[in-house]
Amino acid sequence: MIEKHDKRLLKLSKNFETALSIVILILVLLGMMDLVRSVYQAYIVDFSHPVKYSQLNGFLAEALLLVIGVELVVMLSLHIPGVLVEVLLYAIARKLILLPKASGMIDLLLGVIAIAALFAIRKYLMSSDEKSISLSRVYNSRTSNKDVLTSVEKQDTELINS
């Protein structure tokens, strides 16, 4: 049974997670504005010079980093194991997409193995309940997202109040 001071610590940690999520969202918003400004500068203002591969790679790196930031906020908010797996998938996929030209095939092979391991974890180690509330299903569910999120919040509240 969770004691009274433990409940307060859990509530305090949840408040800190919320504050951290807000800070990350603000950083993502600022990063989006910077990305749009950079793309505008490269493609619209300086359209007479073609965009170099390294510059395009930089745009892609920044955009994928912003996606990972948003996924991190969702992970901090929902506390679902499936979301953690999806955030790791995004991070590894970003690393694979942005591999430098000079890196060897070993890095690519390790990334593919890591993604395969995450899919194996998802298939064999996660329960059907954990699989049913993945991030993509939260976003694309035909039932209202409020119902899915309410069930997750109910689980968090039960943990704190037990």
Side-chain angles (χ1 to χ4, degrees), residues 32-65:
M32 283 174 47
M33 292 184 337
D34 186 47
L35 180 64
V36 168
R37 181 191 54 78
S38 299
V39 168
Y40 177 79
Q41 179 70 29
Y43 284 97
I44 307 297
V45 173
D46 195 19
F47 69 90
S48 61
H49 296 94
V51 176
K52 296 178 183 172
Y53 172 79
S54 60
Q55 197 174 14
L56 181 63
N57 200 19
F59 294 151
L60 191 57
E62 192 173 345
L64 290 173
L65 188 61

Side-chain angles (χ1 to χ4, degrees), residues 2 4 19 23 63 79 86 95 98 100 116 129 138 146 149 154:
I2 299 177
K4 190 173 187 172
V23 168
H79 303 127
E86 289 187 24
K95 188 68 176 169
L98 301 174
D129 291 337
V138 169
K146 191 174 183 180
L149 295 177
K154 187 187 298 183

